[in-house]
Amino acid sequence: MNKVLYIILLLLITPFYAKAQDYEKNCYYGITFEVSRNQNWGYGELVITGVEPNSPAEKSGIKIDDIIMEINGQATYLRDNQTIANWLFDNKYDPEVKFTIRNMNTYFKEYPLMRKCIATNSVSEKQLSEVYSFYSLENTNYQIFTLPLHVQTNSDVDFTDYHTYDFYDAGKNVPAIDKQITTLLEKELQSKGLVRDTSDPDIVVQAYYSYSPNNRYTGLNNPNYNPMSLRYDCDKNQLVLLPIFDSNDPKVGSSAQYVVEYGFSFYDRKYIDNSKLTQIWDCNIKDYLSAQYSLEDYVKLHTPLMLKQFPYTQNKREANYIVETNKYNYTGIYYDADDLGHIKDVDFNSPAYIAGIRPGYIIEKVNNRKFERNKDVLSAGYRYFIDDTMVFRDQTTRFTNSEGFSDCMFWSAGYYNDIAKEFTKPDYFTQFSYLYGFEKYINNKSDNKITIEAWDGIQRRIFQIVPEIRHSVTIRTL
């Protein structure tokens, strides 16, 4: 279980189970948070570390790194987890909770959130898409990558005091790359809520860079030796491979053709000593390139990644990121974790609800396939499916997921028809492949409809559902 889910279970779900006897619902707001121990940002208060896609929190505009000052007017400063959980869930008759948030452009703003409640012991389709991700790794995968970042921060500074910025004036005749970097930094700083003030800024930003041939390069390396590193392109919302050495590669000194360094420093000019600039934060990166890669492209890709370290920051020599990609068919059905054929809950006005499906119904078939209810049988079939279909995967797409499994690969396009046949074999129990029914290697029909045959307690009924395709890509620091 990953760290985020662990936090959710400990902090949010567990306290609520004590109230399951009252109305048998688990509720959440779509956020994870932790008590800050960081002097630079929200010390002693709650800092949001994750916002779930399509959740009440995301729809309200709450973002990662926001500081929760109050819950229903009660200060969160140095409160314990149980107290926080009680504030969030104790009042079962009023599902709305007011979060008072502050960040770099807001001193005090209330966000009224309606908690979302589902039947206890339920499994959502999003969770099932993660469990059965090997049906379509193209659509659901969690990957981690590392940047050799060096971050330094002034521990005596509270970044919530800073609201405006400007750039160090290097004169008018600056290279085009400097102008590009300024534009990139400006975009990211404004997205964090900072406002540019050219007359009296709180922060002065100065960028620096170098790009040069590696004077230790021998040119004697194997021509087939072409190291690549995984990085995230925020413009394309996808992971990309770049001609960059792993910093731990023993051949980096003699095999790298180019060396690139890039960074930026933030200086206080108002609160510490207004007679001089005092450095309060610095972030820089040094990479060794296995082939030519332009400085313009390098800074364009790395600037937003580097600024994800600010303002909830700490000193470090490297930075880990996780990219969570998920695209699946959403109908709004929640399954009983102990009896997957039992519909435990249905989102109001969801595609399944509109089609007529209600809690308590028993699923007998999905897309004319017998529905297996036993999770142990399903797990065994899933393992056999993964093992038997490895021959249809593209070896060039191999990657290691966030759980450390190194044989993750996408399907080979040339085998789509063969793969589709594998999904129809009864021994694999691929009933939850409907979650990816929009893919040709699962559904070779032109439509993406889902047919469910269920027992409603009186009779068998057939439901036609047009699902909503939910797609999200999130990146966050670890």
Side-chain angles (χ1 to χ4, degrees), residues 3 11 21 34 43 54 57 76-77 84 168 170-171 173 184 241 261 274 381 383 442 465:
K3 181 180 179 182
L11 186 56
Q21 295 176 353
E34 63 188 19
Y43 181 82
N54 299 298
T76 63
Y77 182 68
I84 298 298
Y168 178 79
N173 297 319
L184 291 167
L241 283 171
E261 296 184 68
N274 58 17
R383 288 195 298 270
I442 292 177
I465 303 173

Side-chain angles (χ1 to χ4, degrees), residues 164-441:
T164 61
Y165 73 95
D166 196 15
F167 296 99
Y168 178 79
D169 186 6
K172 295 182 179 180
N173 297 319
V174 296
I177 186 66
D178 290 73
K179 295 179 180 178
Q180 180 192 5
I181 291 172
T182 296
T183 300
L184 291 167
L185 288 170
E186 188 164 30
K187 176 184 176 182
E188 296 303 318
L189 292 173
Q190 288 180 356
S191 72
K192 293 179 179 293
L194 289 166
V195 177
R196 187 169 184 179
D197 183 346
T198 58
S199 61
D200 187 29
D202 301 338
I203 295 173
V204 173
V205 182
Q206 183 177 29
Y208 51 93
Y209 57 86
S210 68
Y211 187 103
S212 60
N214 178 19
N215 55 20
R216 297 169 58 194
Y217 176 62
T218 63
L220 300 177
N221 53 300
N222 187 326
N224 296 322
Y225 184 60
N226 185 31
M228 305 287 280
S229 290
L230 204 60
R231 301 285 164 91
Y232 185 74
D233 188 322
C234 293
D235 285 341
K236 296 179 180 178
N237 281 335
Q238 65 183 37
L239 286 157
V240 294
L241 283 171
L242 300 181
I244 297 174
F245 277 86
D246 183 318
S247 58
N248 297 316
D249 191 321
K251 298 180 180 180
V252 64
S254 60
S255 298
Q257 296 190 46
Y258 302 93
V259 181
V260 58
E261 296 184 68
Y262 174 50
F264 30 82
S265 297
F266 293 177
Y267 295 93
D268 172 281
R269 66 171 302 278
K270 183 176 292 187
Y271 300 111
I272 299 175
D273 185 347
N274 58 17
S275 66
K276 63 178 182 180
L277 297 178
T278 304
Q279 181 175 300
I280 56 175
W281 192 72
D282 179 84
C283 181
N284 63 79
I285 186 170
K286 183 177 182 179
D287 268 323
Y288 294 85
L289 307 184
S290 58
Q292 192 166 16
Y293 180 63
S294 74
L295 180 60
E296 290 79 7
D297 289 338
Y298 185 89
V299 300
K300 181 180 180 182
L301 185 137
H302 286 84
T303 299
L305 295 178
M306 294 166 71
L307 275 170
K308 289 187 181 298
Q309 300 296 323
F310 181 83
Y312 194 37
T313 187
Q314 60 181 347
N315 294 333
K316 60 182 64 176
R317 303 293 301 188
E318 69 176 21
N320 295 314
Y321 299 77
I322 183 168
V323 180
E324 302 176 355
T325 301
N326 198 11
K327 181 180 179 182
Y328 68 98
N329 273 337
Y330 162 82
T331 71
I333 293 175
Y334 294 84
Y335 297 86
D336 190 321
D338 297 320
D339 177 5
L340 290 169
H342 178 216
I343 297 177
K344 194 79 170 181
D345 213 337
V346 183
D347 281 338
F348 180 68
N349 274 345
S350 64
Y353 188 93
I354 292 171
I357 292 178
R358 296 294 183 266
Y361 288 9
I362 304 297
I363 298 179
E364 297 184 345
K365 289 183 180 180
V366 171
N367 291 335
N368 207 32
R369 298 178 194 170
K370 182 181 177 181
F371 196 93
E372 174 57 52
R373 300 167 62 172
N374 186 294
K375 59 185 179 183
D376 293 330
V377 174
L378 285 172
S379 296
Y382 184 52
R383 288 195 298 270
Y384 294 142
F385 173 84
I386 293 173
D387 292 340
D388 294 349
T389 59
M390 278 293 178
V391 295
F392 301 120
R393 297 192 183 272
D394 184 350
Q395 298 283 335
T396 65
T397 65
R398 186 186 300 271
F399 66 91
T400 300
N401 66 10
S402 60
E403 282 74 40
F405 188 76
S406 60
D407 286 331
C408 297
M409 292 172 281
F410 298 158
W411 296 116
S412 295
Y415 289 115
Y416 278 4
N417 289 335
D418 299 288
I419 297 164
K421 292 178 183 177
E422 294 295 316
F423 275 103
T424 65
K425 292 183 177 179
D427 291 345
Y428 293 143
F429 305 107
T430 58
Q431 58 205 38
F432 288 116
S433 63
Y434 84 78
L435 295 165
Y436 304 108
F438 46 81
E439 294 288 6
K440 291 182 179 179
Y441 45 77

